[in-house]
Tab-separated table of all heavy atoms in Angstrom:
chain	number	residue	atom	x	y	z
A	339	SER	N	64.240	-15.618	71.078
A	339	SER	CA	63.508	-16.643	70.306
A	339	SER	C	64.385	-17.864	70.067
A	339	SER	O	63.918	-19.007	70.115
A	339	SER	CB	63.046	-16.094	68.960
A	339	SER	OG	62.249	-14.969	69.166
A	340	LEU	N	65.678	-17.601	69.788
A	340	LEU	CA	66.594	-18.704	69.498
A	340	LEU	C	66.697	-19.651	70.695
A	340	LEU	O	66.558	-20.865	70.554
A	340	LEU	CB	67.977	-18.144	69.152
A	340	LEU	CG	69.067	-19.198	68.894
A	340	LEU	CD1	68.771	-19.999	67.642
A	340	LEU	CD2	70.438	-18.539	68.786
A	341	LEU	N	66.909	-19.059	71.862
A	341	LEU	CA	67.057	-19.897	73.066
A	341	LEU	C	65.750	-20.600	73.429
A	341	LEU	O	65.743	-21.775	73.813
A	341	LEU	CB	67.525	-19.023	74.249
A	341	LEU	CG	69.045	-18.889	74.485
A	341	LEU	CD1	69.621	-20.221	74.876
A	341	LEU	CD2	69.778	-18.357	73.264
A	342	VAL	N	64.636	-19.880	73.270
A	342	VAL	CA	63.332	-20.491	73.576
A	342	VAL	C	63.070	-21.637	72.608
A	342	VAL	O	62.597	-22.713	72.995
A	342	VAL	CB	62.204	-19.432	73.526
A	342	VAL	CG1	60.831	-20.085	73.569
A	342	VAL	CG2	62.342	-18.448	74.673
A	343	LEU	N	63.417	-21.414	71.338
A	343	LEU	CA	63.200	-22.459	70.336
A	343	LEU	C	64.066	-23.684	70.642
A	343	LEU	O	63.599	-24.831	70.522
A	343	LEU	CB	63.516	-21.911	68.929
A	343	LEU	CG	63.255	-22.875	67.773
A	343	LEU	CD1	61.778	-23.265	67.712
A	343	LEU	CD2	63.682	-22.259	66.441
A	344	GLU	N	65.302	-23.441	71.040
A	344	GLU	CA	66.191	-24.567	71.390
A	344	GLU	C	65.574	-25.389	72.526
A	344	GLU	O	65.538	-26.610	72.481
A	344	GLU	CB	67.565	-24.042	71.824
A	344	GLU	CG	68.444	-23.654	70.664
A	344	GLU	CD	69.838	-23.228	71.096
A	344	GLU	OE1	70.268	-23.647	72.191
A	344	GLU	OE2	70.479	-22.481	70.334
A	345	SER	N	65.090	-24.684	73.540
A	345	SER	CA	64.486	-25.356	74.686
A	345	SER	C	63.248	-26.149	74.252
A	345	SER	O	63.046	-27.295	74.659
A	345	SER	CB	64.117	-24.299	75.725
A	345	SER	OG	63.370	-24.868	76.752
A	346	PHE	N	62.463	-25.514	73.380
A	346	PHE	CA	61.241	-26.171	72.903
A	346	PHE	C	61.592	-27.431	72.088
A	346	PHE	O	60.986	-28.480	72.266
A	346	PHE	CB	60.450	-25.172	72.046
A	346	PHE	CG	59.124	-25.686	71.577
A	346	PHE	CD1	58.131	-26.029	72.471
A	346	PHE	CD2	58.870	-25.830	70.213
A	346	PHE	CE1	56.911	-26.507	72.038
A	346	PHE	CE2	57.646	-26.308	69.778
A	346	PHE	CZ	56.672	-26.648	70.679
A	347	LEU	N	62.613	-27.293	71.228
A	347	LEU	CA	63.018	-28.446	70.402
A	347	LEU	C	63.524	-29.594	71.276
A	347	LEU	O	63.229	-30.759	71.011
A	347	LEU	CB	64.114	-28.024	69.411
A	347	LEU	CG	63.651	-27.171	68.232
A	347	LEU	CD1	64.839	-26.755	67.370
A	347	LEU	CD2	62.630	-27.910	67.371
A	348	LEU	N	64.267	-29.227	72.323
A	348	LEU	CA	64.769	-30.270	73.235
A	348	LEU	C	63.609	-31.008	73.907
A	348	LEU	O	63.606	-32.235	74.005
A	348	LEU	CB	65.661	-29.650	74.313
A	348	LEU	CG	67.090	-29.282	73.896
A	348	LEU	CD1	67.777	-28.503	75.005
A	348	LEU	CD2	67.901	-30.529	73.561
A	349	SER	N	62.625	-30.245	74.360
A	349	SER	CA	61.497	-30.899	75.047
A	349	SER	C	60.666	-31.731	74.066
A	349	SER	O	60.202	-32.815	74.409
A	349	SER	CB	60.626	-29.877	75.789
A	349	SER	OG	60.180	-28.899	74.922
A	350	ILE	N	60.500	-31.221	72.827
A	350	ILE	CA	59.751	-31.997	71.824
A	350	ILE	C	60.500	-33.296	71.504
A	350	ILE	O	59.907	-34.380	71.451
A	350	ILE	CB	59.547	-31.165	70.520
A	350	ILE	CG1	58.581	-29.999	70.779
A	350	ILE	CG2	59.068	-32.031	69.362
A	350	ILE	CD1	57.137	-30.398	70.951
A	351	ALA	N	61.812	-33.165	71.326
A	351	ALA	CA	62.618	-34.361	71.034
A	351	ALA	C	62.518	-35.342	72.210
A	351	ALA	O	62.415	-36.559	72.009
A	351	ALA	CB	64.063	-33.962	70.794
A	352	GLY	N	62.518	-34.804	73.423
A	352	GLY	CA	62.383	-35.643	74.617
A	352	GLY	C	61.039	-36.363	74.620
A	352	GLY	O	60.959	-37.551	74.933
A	353	CYS	N	59.998	-35.635	74.238
A	353	CYS	CA	58.650	-36.246	74.188
A	353	CYS	C	58.617	-37.379	73.168
A	353	CYS	O	58.102	-38.472	73.440
A	353	CYS	CB	57.598	-35.197	73.802
A	353	CYS	SG	57.235	-34.037	75.125
A	354	VAL	N	59.191	-37.115	71.986
A	354	VAL	CA	59.183	-38.129	70.914
A	354	VAL	C	59.968	-39.355	71.384
A	354	VAL	O	59.505	-40.498	71.243
A	354	VAL	CB	59.779	-37.543	69.609
A	354	VAL	CG1	59.964	-38.629	68.557
A	354	VAL	CG2	58.872	-36.432	69.077
A	355	LEU	N	61.134	-39.108	71.979
A	355	LEU	CA	61.957	-40.224	72.458
A	355	LEU	C	61.203	-41.003	73.556
A	355	LEU	O	61.184	-42.233	73.556
A	355	LEU	CB	63.293	-39.711	73.007
A	355	LEU	CG	64.204	-40.792	73.597
A	355	LEU	CD1	64.768	-41.683	72.491
A	355	LEU	CD2	65.351	-40.187	74.393
A	356	GLY	N	60.573	-40.249	74.456
A	356	GLY	CA	59.840	-40.876	75.570
A	356	GLY	C	58.722	-41.774	75.065
A	356	GLY	O	58.596	-42.931	75.495
A	357	VAL	N	57.923	-41.248	74.121
A	357	VAL	CA	56.814	-42.051	73.577
A	357	VAL	C	57.367	-43.265	72.840
A	357	VAL	O	56.855	-44.392	72.979
A	357	VAL	CB	55.918	-41.180	72.647
A	357	VAL	CG1	54.887	-42.034	71.939
A	357	VAL	CG2	55.231	-40.088	73.460
A	358	GLY	N	58.460	-43.033	72.095
A	358	GLY	CA	59.103	-44.146	71.379
A	358	GLY	C	59.568	-45.220	72.359
A	358	GLY	O	59.370	-46.415	72.121
A	359	LEU	N	60.165	-44.771	73.457
A	359	LEU	CA	60.639	-45.722	74.475
A	359	LEU	C	59.492	-46.534	75.052
A	359	LEU	O	59.596	-47.749	75.236
A	359	LEU	CB	61.317	-44.952	75.614
A	359	LEU	CG	62.830	-44.737	75.531
A	359	LEU	CD1	63.297	-43.838	76.668
A	359	LEU	CD2	63.560	-46.072	75.597
A	360	VAL	N	58.379	-45.842	75.317
A	360	VAL	CA	57.207	-46.523	75.890
A	360	VAL	C	56.738	-47.620	74.940
A	360	VAL	O	56.479	-48.759	75.359
A	360	VAL	CB	56.059	-45.520	76.166
A	360	VAL	CG1	54.757	-46.261	76.451
A	360	VAL	CG2	56.409	-44.634	77.339
A	361	TYR	N	56.665	-47.276	73.644
A	361	TYR	CA	56.190	-48.287	72.687
A	361	TYR	C	57.178	-49.436	72.555
A	361	TYR	O	56.782	-50.600	72.485
A	361	TYR	CB	55.898	-47.644	71.331
A	361	TYR	CG	54.589	-46.904	71.371
A	361	TYR	CD1	54.542	-45.520	71.393
A	361	TYR	CD2	53.392	-47.600	71.457
A	361	TYR	CE1	53.341	-44.843	71.474
A	361	TYR	CE2	52.194	-46.935	71.545
A	361	TYR	CZ	52.162	-45.560	71.551
A	361	TYR	OH	50.975	-44.905	71.645
A	362	ALA	N	58.483	-49.071	72.526
A	362	ALA	CA	59.507	-50.121	72.404
A	362	ALA	C	59.427	-51.065	73.605
A	362	ALA	O	59.437	-52.291	73.448
A	362	ALA	CB	60.883	-49.483	72.308
A	363	LEU	N	59.312	-50.480	74.798
A	363	LEU	CA	59.230	-51.303	76.013
A	363	LEU	C	57.935	-52.108	76.046
A	363	LEU	O	57.920	-53.274	76.457
A	363	LEU	CB	59.324	-50.417	77.267
A	363	LEU	CG	60.699	-49.781	77.524
A	363	LEU	CD1	60.615	-48.756	78.645
A	363	LEU	CD2	61.721	-50.860	77.885
A	364	SER	N	56.837	-51.479	75.588
A	364	SER	CA	55.534	-52.175	75.591
A	364	SER	C	55.580	-53.392	74.677
A	364	SER	O	55.145	-54.483	75.049
A	364	SER	CB	54.421	-51.246	75.126
A	364	SER	OG	54.320	-50.151	75.988
A	365	VAL	N	56.124	-53.180	73.453
A	365	VAL	CA	56.187	-54.285	72.493
A	365	VAL	C	57.061	-55.405	73.053
A	365	VAL	O	56.730	-56.586	72.952
A	365	VAL	CB	56.720	-53.779	71.122
A	365	VAL	CG1	57.046	-54.950	70.206
A	365	VAL	CG2	55.702	-52.852	70.473
A	366	THR	N	58.172	-55.008	73.688
A	366	THR	CA	59.106	-56.014	74.202
A	366	THR	C	58.531	-56.764	75.403
A	366	THR	O	58.624	-57.986	75.490
A	366	THR	CB	60.436	-55.338	74.624
A	366	THR	OG1	60.842	-54.482	73.557
A	366	THR	CG2	61.521	-56.361	74.913
A	367	PHE	N	57.946	-55.995	76.337
A	367	PHE	CA	57.575	-56.614	77.607
A	367	PHE	C	56.091	-56.972	77.748
A	367	PHE	O	55.710	-57.587	78.738
A	367	PHE	CB	58.002	-55.713	78.777
A	367	PHE	CG	59.495	-55.629	78.919
A	367	PHE	CD1	60.179	-54.475	78.542
A	367	PHE	CD2	60.221	-56.709	79.395
A	367	PHE	CE1	61.560	-54.399	78.653
A	367	PHE	CE2	61.604	-56.642	79.513
A	367	PHE	CZ	62.278	-55.483	79.136
A	368	GLN	N	55.274	-56.576	76.765
A	368	GLN	CA	53.827	-56.859	76.897
A	368	GLN	C	53.537	-58.343	77.151
A	368	GLN	O	52.812	-58.680	78.092
A	368	GLN	CB	53.073	-56.363	75.667
A	368	GLN	CG	51.576	-56.405	75.852
A	368	GLN	CD	50.852	-56.362	74.512
A	368	GLN	OE1	51.219	-57.053	73.572
A	368	GLN	NE2	49.854	-55.517	74.426
A	369	PRO	N	54.116	-59.247	76.330
A	369	PRO	CA	53.798	-60.668	76.582
A	369	PRO	C	54.293	-61.144	77.940
A	369	PRO	O	53.637	-61.961	78.586
A	369	PRO	CB	54.540	-61.400	75.456
A	369	PRO	CG	54.967	-60.355	74.488
A	369	PRO	CD	55.043	-59.066	75.220
A	370	ILE	N	55.466	-60.619	78.381
A	370	ILE	CA	56.035	-61.065	79.661
A	370	ILE	C	55.153	-60.589	80.822
A	370	ILE	O	54.830	-61.356	81.723
A	370	ILE	CB	57.482	-60.525	79.817
A	370	ILE	CG1	58.338	-61.063	78.664
A	370	ILE	CG2	58.076	-60.912	81.163
A	370	ILE	CD1	59.652	-60.362	78.468
A	371	VAL	N	54.752	-59.304	80.747
A	371	VAL	CA	53.895	-58.744	81.807
A	371	VAL	C	52.564	-59.498	81.841
A	371	VAL	O	52.040	-59.831	82.903
A	371	VAL	CB	53.667	-57.224	81.565
A	371	VAL	CG1	52.587	-56.679	82.489
A	371	VAL	CG2	54.964	-56.460	81.783
A	372	GLU	N	52.040	-59.789	80.653
A	372	GLU	CA	50.751	-60.486	80.570
A	372	GLU	C	50.858	-61.876	81.176
A	372	GLU	O	49.982	-62.309	81.917
A	372	GLU	CB	50.309	-60.571	79.105
A	372	GLU	CG	48.881	-61.021	78.955
A	372	GLU	CD	48.473	-61.122	77.503
A	372	GLU	OE1	48.975	-60.337	76.671
A	372	GLU	OE2	47.638	-61.990	77.201
A	373	GLU	N	51.961	-62.557	80.872
A	373	GLU	CA	52.108	-63.925	81.367
A	373	GLU	C	52.344	-63.978	82.878
A	373	GLU	O	51.755	-64.789	83.579
A	373	GLU	CB	53.269	-64.602	80.635
A	373	GLU	CG	53.394	-66.071	81.022
A	373	GLU	CD	54.261	-66.834	80.065
A	373	GLU	OE1	54.373	-66.438	78.901
A	373	GLU	OE2	54.823	-67.854	80.504
A	374	HIS	N	53.191	-63.072	83.360
A	374	HIS	CA	53.555	-63.145	84.779
A	374	HIS	C	52.564	-62.451	85.702
A	374	HIS	O	52.402	-62.839	86.837
A	374	HIS	CB	54.957	-62.576	84.991
A	374	HIS	CG	56.027	-63.480	84.468
A	374	HIS	ND1	56.541	-64.515	85.196
A	374	HIS	CD2	56.635	-63.528	83.251
A	374	HIS	CE1	57.444	-65.162	84.470
A	374	HIS	NE2	57.514	-64.583	83.281
A	375	PHE	N	51.957	-61.377	85.226
A	375	PHE	CA	51.073	-60.609	86.108
A	375	PHE	C	49.614	-60.628	85.648
A	375	PHE	O	48.755	-60.051	86.307
A	375	PHE	CB	51.554	-59.145	86.205
A	375	PHE	CG	52.974	-59.026	86.691
A	375	PHE	CD1	53.996	-58.726	85.812
A	375	PHE	CD2	53.281	-59.243	88.026
A	375	PHE	CE1	55.313	-58.628	86.249
A	375	PHE	CE2	54.592	-59.150	88.472
A	375	PHE	CZ	55.608	-58.837	87.581
A	376	GLY	N	49.342	-61.239	84.493
A	376	GLY	CA	47.964	-61.273	83.979
A	376	GLY	C	47.466	-59.887	83.624
A	376	GLY	O	46.270	-59.635	83.543
A	377	LEU	N	48.402	-58.977	83.401
A	377	LEU	CA	48.042	-57.583	83.132
A	377	LEU	C	48.256	-57.314	81.643
A	377	LEU	O	49.378	-57.405	81.140
A	377	LEU	CB	48.949	-56.668	83.972
A	377	LEU	CG	48.654	-55.187	83.954
A	377	LEU	CD1	47.317	-54.913	84.612
A	377	LEU	CD2	49.749	-54.442	84.710
A	378	TYR	N	47.190	-57.008	80.953
A	378	TYR	CA	47.281	-56.750	79.520
A	378	TYR	C	47.413	-55.250	79.308
A	378	TYR	O	46.459	-54.499	79.494
A	378	TYR	CB	46.037	-57.294	78.815
A	378	TYR	CG	46.037	-57.046	77.335
A	378	TYR	CD1	46.829	-57.820	76.482
A	378	TYR	CD2	45.276	-56.024	76.775
A	378	TYR	CE1	46.835	-57.588	75.124
A	378	TYR	CE2	45.281	-55.785	75.415
A	378	TYR	CZ	46.070	-56.579	74.598
A	378	TYR	OH	46.081	-56.328	73.244
A	379	VAL	N	48.642	-54.815	78.985
A	379	VAL	CA	48.857	-53.381	78.744
A	379	VAL	C	48.708	-53.145	77.241
A	379	VAL	O	49.542	-53.593	76.453
A	379	VAL	CB	50.262	-52.943	79.237
A	379	VAL	CG1	50.460	-51.453	79.008
A	379	VAL	CG2	50.428	-53.280	80.699
A	380	PRO	N	47.628	-52.477	76.832
A	380	PRO	CA	47.394	-52.326	75.394
A	380	PRO	C	48.422	-51.412	74.737
A	380	PRO	O	48.865	-50.434	75.346
A	380	PRO	CB	45.991	-51.696	75.343
A	380	PRO	CG	45.803	-51.038	76.655
A	380	PRO	CD	46.617	-51.793	77.648
A	381	ILE	N	48.816	-51.766	73.517
A	381	ILE	CA	49.723	-50.891	72.760
A	381	ILE	C	48.831	-50.028	71.881
A	381	ILE	O	48.256	-50.492	70.901
A	381	ILE	CB	50.716	-51.723	71.923
A	381	ILE	CG1	51.554	-52.588	72.866
A	381	ILE	CG2	51.622	-50.813	71.093
A	381	ILE	CD1	52.383	-53.645	72.183
A	382	GLN	N	48.660	-48.808	72.279
A	382	GLN	CA	47.739	-47.921	71.573
A	382	GLN	C	48.248	-46.487	71.657
A	382	GLN	O	49.198	-46.204	72.387
A	382	GLN	CB	46.343	-48.009	72.212
A	382	GLN	CG	46.355	-47.667	73.690
A	382	GLN	CD	45.030	-47.965	74.381
A	382	GLN	OE1	44.227	-48.727	73.896
A	382	GLN	NE2	44.827	-47.365	75.537
A	383	ALA	N	47.609	-45.604	70.905
A	383	ALA	CA	47.998	-44.191	70.930
A	383	ALA	C	47.842	-43.676	72.353
A	383	ALA	O	47.010	-44.195	73.116
A	383	ALA	CB	47.107	-43.414	69.980
A	384	PRO	N	48.648	-42.655	72.740
A	384	PRO	CA	48.496	-42.136	74.107
A	384	PRO	C	47.042	-41.749	74.389
A	384	PRO	O	46.320	-41.308	73.497
A	384	PRO	CB	49.404	-40.899	74.111
A	384	PRO	CG	50.418	-41.159	73.063
A	384	PRO	CD	49.725	-41.959	72.006
A	385	THR	N	46.640	-41.933	75.622
A	385	THR	CA	45.276	-41.564	76.024
A	385	THR	C	45.170	-40.036	76.040
A	385	THR	O	46.178	-39.332	75.887
A	385	THR	CB	44.992	-42.084	77.445
A	385	THR	OG1	45.950	-41.494	78.324
A	385	THR	CG2	45.092	-43.588	77.533
A	386	ILE	N	43.969	-39.530	76.248
A	386	ILE	CA	43.781	-38.070	76.311
A	386	ILE	C	44.678	-37.493	77.409
A	386	ILE	O	45.358	-36.488	77.220
A	386	ILE	CB	42.294	-37.740	76.577
A	386	ILE	CG1	41.465	-38.142	75.358
A	386	ILE	CG2	42.105	-36.250	76.881
A	386	ILE	CD1	39.977	-38.060	75.530
A	387	THR	N	44.724	-38.207	78.562
A	387	THR	CA	45.593	-37.760	79.657
A	387	THR	C	47.045	-37.762	79.194
A	387	THR	O	47.807	-36.838	79.500
A	387	THR	CB	45.417	-38.708	80.868
A	387	THR	OG1	44.027	-38.935	81.059
A	387	THR	CG2	46.018	-38.134	82.124
Side-chain angles (χ1 to χ4, degrees):
Chain A
S339 303
L340 177 66
L341 269 294
V342 169
L343 183 61
E344 281 184 24
S345 172
F346 184 62
L347 286 177
L348 282 172
S349 56
I350 291 288
C353 287
V354 172
L355 177 71
V357 172
L359 268 174
V360 167
Y361 283 107
L363 290 171
S364 299
V365 169
T366 312
F367 292 106
Q368 190 199 45
I370 300 165
V371 170
E372 191 181 328
E373 185 165 334
H374 288 275
F375 303 105
L377 186 66
Y378 179 77
V379 181
I381 299 169
Q382 57 189 20
T385 60
I386 292 172
T387 315

